[in-house]
């Protein structure tokens, strides 16, 4: 979603310069107007400016910190602490500088009359849309404390599921890595020792294939290394592209061994979210 930088005047006459995410410039202006701001200037951040804004404000907040935040937020609300005071307390408890900055801005927005859900919605990289929509439902229904409890339980369950999936993937990953290392060691170091003894002899096809593969690896180590890094870099770039990531997510569940783990994980995650 596009990011817009704006300069506005709040209800107390103070000038505010910040960013907001919205589908277009008109929607961004309407959101600010609904929050009681008089917009003086607004423009879309593009290219490097948008990248810097997203990186500096929305990165490096772990899932563990978000889970801890909502658990503490829920406890404070149950203790009859006001939302504004809770934001101040949680700001002091936050470890991440990015989270601290976000909570300061959320506290300021709430004190300025912005709805809690709208204040959280301005930081989609920290609080995903599902969470902000649950908060909005809690506000409209007058059960914000109940919703915060459910959000805490949901995030903890999602984190536990992620840990189980990682543990399930460790074994096949270790087996694959060990296999590659052993095969590489034999092809690169053991087989060449026997190559001189077998020269000039008629060999079975599989033995000749191993000798040829060993010779190829030894002769092209720099090229293979460069190709590996190019492949890794290309994979990372493709994972950053929404369209490519969609196709990867669509077909990775069919990968042998790993695919079923990812598929069942997605089913469990959907069921928990839907519930």
């Amino acid at each position: 979603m596009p990011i817009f930088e704006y300069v506005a005047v709040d209800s107390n006459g103070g000038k505010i310069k910040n960013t907001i995410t919205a589908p277009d410039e008109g929607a961004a202006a309407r959101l600010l107007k609904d929050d009681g701001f008089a917009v003086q200037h607004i423009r879309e951040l593009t290219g490097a400016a948008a990248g810097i804004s997203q990186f500096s404000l929305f990165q490096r907040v772990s899932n563990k910190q978000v889970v801890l935040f909502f658990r503490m937020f829920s406890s404070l609300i149950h203790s009859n602490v006001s939302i504004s005071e809770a934001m101040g307390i949680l700001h002091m408890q936050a470890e991440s500088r990015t989270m601290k900055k976000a909570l300061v801005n959320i506290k300021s927005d709430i004190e300025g009359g912005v709805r809690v859900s709208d204040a959280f919605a301005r930081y989609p990289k920290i609080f995903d849309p599902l969470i902000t929509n649950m908060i909005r439902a809690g506000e409209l229904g007058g059960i914000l404390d109940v919703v915060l409890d459910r959000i805490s339980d949901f995030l903890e369950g999602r984190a536990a599921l992620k840990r189980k999936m990682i543990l399930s993937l460790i074994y096949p990953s270790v087996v694959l890595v060990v296999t590659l290392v052993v095969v590489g060691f034999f092809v690169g170091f053991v087989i060449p020792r026997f190559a001189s003894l077998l020269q000039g002899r008629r060999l079975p096809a599989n033995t000749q294939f191993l000798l040829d593969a060993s010779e190829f690896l030894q002769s092209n180590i720099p090229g293979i290394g460069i190709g590996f890094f190019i492949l890794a870099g290309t994979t990372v770039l493709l994972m950053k592209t929404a369209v490519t990531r969609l196709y990867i997510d669509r077909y990775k569940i069919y990968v042998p061994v790993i695919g079923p783990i990812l598929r069942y994980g997605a089913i469990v995650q959907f069921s928990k979210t839907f519930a």
Side-chain angles (χ1 to χ4, degrees), residues 1 23 27 41 45 51 113 157-158 215 218 223 243 247 272:
M1 189 175 291
H41 174 72
L45 296 178
R158 187 168 67 177
E215 183 180 355
Q218 288 186 317
V243 176
Y247 282 100
K272 285 181 176 290

Side-chain angles (χ1 to χ4, degrees), residues 20 22-32:
I20 184 173
D24 52 52
E25 185 174 327
R30 287 193 297 273
L31 285 172
L32 292 170

Side-chain angles (χ1 to χ4, degrees), residues 54-72:
Q54 284 185 313
F55 182 80
S56 62
L57 188 58
F58 298 139
Q59 300 298 319
R60 298 186 298 275
V61 177
S62 67
N63 185 63
K64 180 180 178 181
Q65 293 181 44
V66 177
V67 171
L68 180 61
F69 164 78
F70 275 106
R71 180 58 70 188
M72 296 174 66

Side-chain angles (χ1 to χ4, degrees), residues 26-222:
R30 287 193 297 273
L31 285 172
L32 292 170
K33 184 178 179 181
D34 292 342
D35 293 340
F37 294 109
V39 180
Q40 293 183 335
H41 174 72
I42 186 170
R43 70 182 182 91
E44 182 179 355
L45 296 178
T46 57
I52 292 172
S53 175
Q54 284 185 313
F55 182 80
S56 62
L57 188 58
F58 298 139
Q59 300 298 319
R60 298 186 298 275
V61 177
S62 67
N63 185 63
K64 180 180 178 181
Q65 293 181 44
V66 177
V67 171
L68 180 61
F69 164 78
F70 275 106
R71 180 58 70 188
M72 296 174 66
F73 189 22
S74 173
S75 298
L76 289 171
I77 296 300
H78 277 294
S79 300
N80 294 323
V81 177
S82 69
I83 295 177
S84 177
E85 290 176 333
M87 289 296 108
I89 294 171
L90 294 171
H91 162 258
M92 292 187 291
Q93 296 290 329
E95 298 178 359
S96 168
R97 185 177 302 176
T98 303
M99 178 67 93
K100 283 181 176 289
K101 184 174 181 180
L103 294 180
V104 166
N105 292 336
I106 290 173
K107 181 176 185 294
S108 176
D109 290 341
I110 292 173
E111 291 175 347
V114 179
R115 290 186 300 183
V116 178
S117 56
D118 291 336
F120 277 87
R122 292 177 180 176
Y123 304 93
K125 297 295 182 180
I126 301 176
F127 310 105
D128 61 54
L130 172 65
I131 301 302
T132 54
N133 284 325
M134 289 178 69
I135 294 174
R136 182 173 290 110
E139 286 181 299
L140 295 176
I143 53 171
L144 183 59
D145 55 341
V146 177
V147 168
L148 289 175
D149 274 337
R150 292 179 181 174
I151 290 175
S152 302
D153 294 337
F154 169 75
L155 291 177
E156 289 176 350
R158 187 168 67 177
L161 173 63
K162 185 177 181 180
R163 287 194 298 270
K164 289 180 180 178
M165 290 184 63
I166 292 174
L167 290 174
S168 300
L169 292 172
I170 286 177
Y171 177 73
S173 301
V174 169
V175 171
L176 176 62
V177 171
V178 171
T179 302
L180 292 176
V181 171
V182 171
V183 171
F185 175 76
F186 272 94
V187 173
F189 298 97
V190 177
I191 294 177
R193 300 294 185 270
F194 296 94
S196 58
L197 301 176
L198 300 175
Q199 286 181 353
R201 300 184 182 183
R202 184 177 181 83
L203 302 173
N206 54 355
T207 305
Q208 188 63 50
F209 172 77
L210 289 175
L211 291 174
D212 293 340
S214 175
E215 183 180 355
F216 174 80
L217 288 176
Q218 288 186 317
S219 303
N220 298 277
I221 288 178

